[in-house]
Amino acid sequence: MEFDDYQKAAKRTLYGNEQVLTNCALGLAGESGQLIDLIKNYTFKGQDLDRSEMVHEIGDVLWYLSQIAAWADISFDEVAEDNIRTLNKRYPHGFSQGK
């Protein structure tokens, strides 16, 4: 699936017209926290890392990010392309520790 296609499909489930940006920002923080808890529990509490739960939480984070970008009239393809250009500029030979 292409990023812009995802963004359009995800918007179908966006609710409300008022304070959408605030709602999505708060939702992003909450869902990011749930993802972080999975990782924390794996790293520090020895719990199994539930792949399906991780996929679910990453999907929730992706949904909120896509709707924040849509609210600002920014395509997800643009975000992805800009990020890759930034990474290529920052790490022209890839990332290696100690550099």
Side-chain angles (χ1 to χ4, degrees):
M1 173 176 271
E2 299 292 324
F3 280 121
D4 282 350
D5 294 337
Y6 171 84
Q7 190 176 23
K8 289 174 190 166
K11 190 172 185 175
R12 182 185 64 79
T13 59
L14 182 66
Y15 52 92
N17 293 322
E18 296 181 17
Q19 303 197 18
V20 169
L21 181 61
T22 301
N23 180 56
C24 286
L26 293 171
L28 176 60
E31 295 299 339
S32 296
Q34 290 181 27
L35 177 60
I36 291 165
D37 275 345
L38 287 176
I39 296 166
K40 177 188 73 177
N41 291 337
Y42 168 78
T43 303
F44 297 109
K45 295 182 179 179
Q47 294 181 5
D48 290 338
L49 191 55
D50 184 333
R51 186 182 189 283
S52 65
E53 187 64 23
M54 190 172 222
V55 167
H56 176 81
E57 296 303 340
I58 290 170
D60 288 346
V61 168
L62 183 65
W63 187 90
Y64 280 110
L65 283 173
S66 77
Q67 297 314 292
I68 290 169
W71 180 90
D73 197 28
I74 299 170
S75 82
F76 242 28
D77 280 341
E78 179 185 348
V79 171
E81 290 166 2
D82 181 73
N83 182 251
I84 293 301
R85 275 193 305 274
T86 298
L87 291 171
N88 287 339
K89 184 177 178 183
R90 190 176 295 156
Y91 306 106
H93 305 290
F95 179 79
S96 62
Q97 291 183 328
K99 290 186 177 182

